[in-house]
Amino acid sequence: DHLLGLQQKDSLVPLFEAITNALQSIDEARRLDTATELHKVVIEIERTNSDVQKKFDGTLEAIGPIAGFIIRDTGIGFTKDNYTSFGEAGSRHKQSIGGKGLGRFSYLAVFDHAEVESTYQQDGDTKRRRFDFAHTETGFRNHTDRTVSDSRPRETSVALKAMHPHFQKACPAKLEQIARKCCTHFFKSLVGNDVPEVFLEDPVEDTSISLNRRIRDELVLKSKNEQFEVAGHTLTITHSFVSQKALSAHSLMFCARG
């Protein structure tokens, strides 16, 4: 966390990093696939205590603090190139889209380890890779990569496990709080129509929220696009007037995708 400059209030940074990686993986799959496929990202909340009592009206009396998150996506997965890049500090694999090759280290700054499972396509075969990203000499443990015969579709899951108590104390606990943080952080990435659906789910609260619909239907009151040129490149800027539900105070949000 010293290397990345993370403070206690940055407890959700690894979640944001994992969601960003999932969206980029889906973008890569879309560029390579000729078939049109519906893609999605599902974020599941894990708590230290899932045995929660409910009041007579059905509302939760108390919810346990966040223990971790599981982020699942239907993107390109941990192919040979992506796995090699993941293991290199400062990798330039995503440099063209703004990646610095350091974000995944936030996983280990805030959580004990991350458990990864990826079903992907490589040279015409369906393969399944599993490994833990952990505090080891190589950064990896329990790595397997094998060809499978089933027709399971592409899917990657990254499970961020055992949040450190220091960060857990400052981490929002309620589903709505986390949804608001995600909507604000990924506002520009999710406000369009041709983007993957992203769901935030909490088994304890028995609730699923579509972040896309939350942004489009509840947060964006009106928007307008304008085009301008910089050094011969045509760029588009979107001006969005956002409901106060998105923010805790009057604010200006400057968002850029990539």
Side-chain angles (χ1 to χ4, degrees):
D1 53 322
H2 297 295
L3 174 65
L4 300 173
L6 295 185
Q7 302 176 26
Q8 190 179 37
K9 63 181 178 62
D10 299 321
S11 55
L12 292 180
V13 165
L15 173 62
F16 296 158
E17 173 67 17
I19 297 172
T20 297
N21 288 342
L23 293 173
Q24 291 172 347
S25 181
I26 288 174
D27 282 345
E28 187 177 354
R30 283 176 162 176
R31 288 195 301 271
L32 296 178
D33 288 348
T34 54
T36 301
E37 184 180 349
L38 294 176
H39 289 280
K40 66 178 180 179
V41 179
V42 178
I43 307 128
E44 180 182 333
I45 294 173
E46 291 189 317
R47 300 186 182 277
T48 56
N49 181 12
S50 59
D51 184 19
V52 179
Q53 299 298 318
K54 290 189 176 183
K55 297 179 181 179
F56 288 110
D57 62 359
T59 59
L60 294 173
E61 187 168 354
I63 53 176
I66 300 298
F69 299 96
I70 303 175
I71 301 91
R72 299 182 178 90
D73 71 77
T74 54
I76 199 72
F78 275 85
T79 61
K80 181 179 179 180
D81 288 345
N82 287 338
Y83 176 73
T84 300
S85 172
F86 191 88
E88 296 176 353
S91 169
R92 297 184 178 182
H93 187 58
K94 296 183 179 180
Q95 189 177 42
S96 63
I97 53 175
K100 298 179 177 65
L102 294 174
R104 64 195 175 281
F105 293 106
S106 66
Y107 298 172
L108 302 186
V110 178
F111 295 87
D112 179 75
H113 67 283
E115 298 173 2
V116 179
E117 179 176 326
S118 183
T119 301
Y120 64 97
Q121 303 294 319
Q122 187 88 51
D123 301 325
D125 294 324
T126 300
K127 307 199 76 174
R128 186 163 302 137
R129 188 188 301 277
R130 293 188 177 100
F131 65 91
D132 293 346
F133 184 48
H135 291 280
T136 65
E137 185 175 343
T138 63
F140 297 99
R141 68 185 183 201
N142 303 326
H143 177 236
T144 61
D145 183 31
R146 59 189 180 88
T147 301
V148 293
S149 57
D150 60 62
S151 58
R152 181 175 168 181
R154 278 190 312 221
E155 181 181 84
T156 294
S157 68
V158 175
L160 305 175
K161 292 290 189 177
M163 180 180 282
H164 298 313
H166 173 73
F167 289 97
Q168 193 177 60
K169 292 176 182 177
C171 184
K174 294 182 178 179
L175 178 70
E176 279 293 336
Q177 294 174 317
I178 299 171
R180 178 181 296 178
K181 296 280 189 181
C182 288
C183 285
T184 302
H185 190 86
F186 291 99
F187 180 83
K188 180 57 181 172
S189 297
L190 302 182
V191 73
N193 293 318
D194 188 28
V195 295
E197 197 79 13
V198 180
F199 297 93
L200 179 64
E201 301 181 345
D202 187 349
V204 171
E205 294 193 41
D206 193 25
T207 304
S208 177
I209 296 174
S210 167
L211 300 184
N212 311 63
R213 286 197 290 270
R214 173 67 60 89
I215 291 173
R216 290 194 300 260
D217 300 343
E218 298 182 26
L219 301 186
V220 178
L221 301 180
K222 59 182 178 180
S223 63
K224 180 178 70 172
N225 290 336
E226 288 186 22
Q227 289 189 336
F228 60 98
E229 288 195 4
V230 176
H233 298 280
T234 301
L235 304 177
T236 302
I237 184 170
T238 302
H239 305 278
S240 298
F241 185 56
V242 182
S243 166
Q244 63 180 4
K245 294 178 182 178
L247 302 165
S248 57
H250 291 294
S251 302
L252 285 173
M253 293 190 296
F254 296 94
C255 310
R257 189 175 182 189

